[in-house]
Amino acid sequence: VQLQASGGGLVQAGGSLRLSCAASGTSVRITTMGWYRQAPGKQRELVATVTRGSSTNYADSVKGRFAISGDDAMSTVYLQMNSLKPDDTAIYYCNAQIHYSISYSRTYWGQGTLVTVSS
């Protein structure tokens, strides 16, 4: 499974960006897609996830500012980021989880896209 993330860039505080992540290379249905981020010197952390059933989950730090969505085929996931803050500066990674069976699942990661928010 290949995940191609795009949409990162430099934006001023208070601005918006929209990240996209396209999945390819699988005929098995993806069950969950999500965004994580890693700031310099910090561990990777959850930003948001969305399931095939459209259930979403957000980190407290982004609730009310970010919105995650996926297309019907769960082959592309988007992250709309509004009211960006300098603390949102990080490399953003998308991931996809596939449940191949009841007892076996795998998580795949994209290459990351850099988001820089200037004050």
Side-chain angles (χ1 to χ4, degrees):
V1 178
Q2 293 80 44
L3 300 174
Q4 183 67 45
S6 61
L10 173 64
V11 65
Q12 288 188 330
S16 298
L17 281 175
R18 188 185 193 218
L19 305 184
S20 300
C21 177
S24 62
T26 178
S27 60
V28 180
R29 297 198 311 172
I30 293 172
T31 53
T32 304
M33 294 189 78
W35 289 95
Y36 290 70
R37 67 186 180 187
Q38 187 167 17
K42 295 186 177 182
Q43 291 186 330
R44 190 173 299 187
E45 62 177 7
L46 168 74
V47 177
T49 61
V50 60
T51 69
R52 177 168 289 276
S54 300
S55 295
T56 58
N57 180 49
Y58 295 93
D60 288 343
S61 59
V62 307
K63 283 181 181 177
R65 300 188 297 123
F66 290 11
I68 189 170
S69 61
D71 63 2
D72 290 343
M74 191 57 87
S75 61
T76 304
V77 65
Y78 305 96
L79 185 69
Q80 179 66 43
M81 305 186 294
N82 300 323
S83 303
L84 283 161
K85 305 174 181 179
D87 284 349
D88 295 318
T89 295
I91 298 174
Y92 284 70
Y93 298 91
C94 67
N95 80 355
Q97 186 174 54
I98 298 177
H99 285 85
Y100 291 97
S101 70
I102 293 176
S103 59
Y104 177 60
S105 65
R106 282 194 64 179
T107 298
Y108 300 87
W109 292 91
Q111 86 284 6
T113 184
L114 177 63
V115 172
T116 303
V117 184
S118 63
S119 58

